[in-house]
């Protein structure tokens, strides 16, 4: 009976060393895949978003992450907030980070609600 355990031990030892090397290769491939699938695209998005926020200017038509569309009327010196006009006489102060897109010029006029239609409802 003592022959069987030593036979298993003799066969398993070289396979374990080869398995360790294979595991290192698999883990390396997994880390490279995680970098290219998740980390790199996320860094690109972050860089593009920072560029968009740095290039905001007065008169830009913007969309917030809450779905509010408006025109920037003032960029205070603190660089943390922007003043956005959402309607005539209505100005909102929002965090700069909440701006998710700069809309093409004329978008606000194109999607404006017709006042006669709104009054009939």
């Amino acid at each position: 009976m003592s022959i069987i355990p030593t036979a298993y031990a003799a066969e398993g030892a070289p396979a374990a060393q080869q398995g360790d090397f294979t595991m290192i290769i698999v883990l390396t491939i997994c880390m490279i895949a995680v970098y290219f699938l998740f980390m790199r695209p996320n860094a690109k998005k972050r860089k593009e978003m920072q560029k968009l926020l740095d290039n905001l200017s007065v008169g830009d038509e913007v969309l917030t992450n809450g779905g509010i569309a408006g025109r920037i009327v003032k960029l205070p010196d603190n660089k943390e907030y922007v003043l956005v006009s959402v309607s005539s006489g209505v100005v909102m102060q929002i965090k700069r980070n909440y701006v998710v897109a700069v809309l093409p010029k004329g978008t606000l006029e194109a999607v404006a609600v017709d006042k006669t239609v709104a009054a009939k409802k």
Side-chain angles (χ1 to χ4, degrees):
M1 288 229 172
S2 65
I3 297 174
I4 294 174
T6 53
Y8 282 128
E11 290 178 12
Q17 290 175 353
Q18 184 181 9
D20 290 342
F21 184 69
T22 305
M23 186 190 295
I24 291 172
I25 291 174
V26 169
L27 286 174
T28 304
I29 290 172
C30 287
M31 285 191 281
I32 291 171
V34 165
Y35 174 76
F36 280 105
L37 292 175
F38 297 110
M39 296 172 73
R40 188 169 176 231
N42 198 14
K44 275 181 134 180
K45 279 185 191 177
R46 209 173 325 123
K47 193 181 288 186
E48 288 174 8
M49 191 61 166
Q50 189 61 42
K51 183 179 175 183
L52 178 132
L53 294 177
D54 290 341
N55 292 331
L56 288 178
S57 62
V58 174
D60 284 347
E61 296 177 3
V62 295
L63 180 69
T64 67
N65 65 354
I68 298 171
R71 182 175 285 114
I72 295 178
V73 292
K74 186 175 180 185
L75 293 168
D77 293 334
N78 65 5
K79 299 260 184 185
E80 190 173 339
Y81 292 94
V82 295
L83 296 175
V84 177
S85 172
V86 294
S87 180
S88 59
V90 180
V91 177
M92 297 175 63
Q93 181 178 2
I94 62 169
K95 285 190 70 111
R96 185 181 286 250
N97 294 344
Y98 287 10
V99 173
V100 293
V102 175
L103 303 172
K105 297 287 182 189
T107 303
L108 294 177
E109 286 80 19
V111 297
V113 177
D114 187 11
K115 293 178 183 173
T116 58
V117 174
K120 290 180 184 178
K121 291 183 179 182

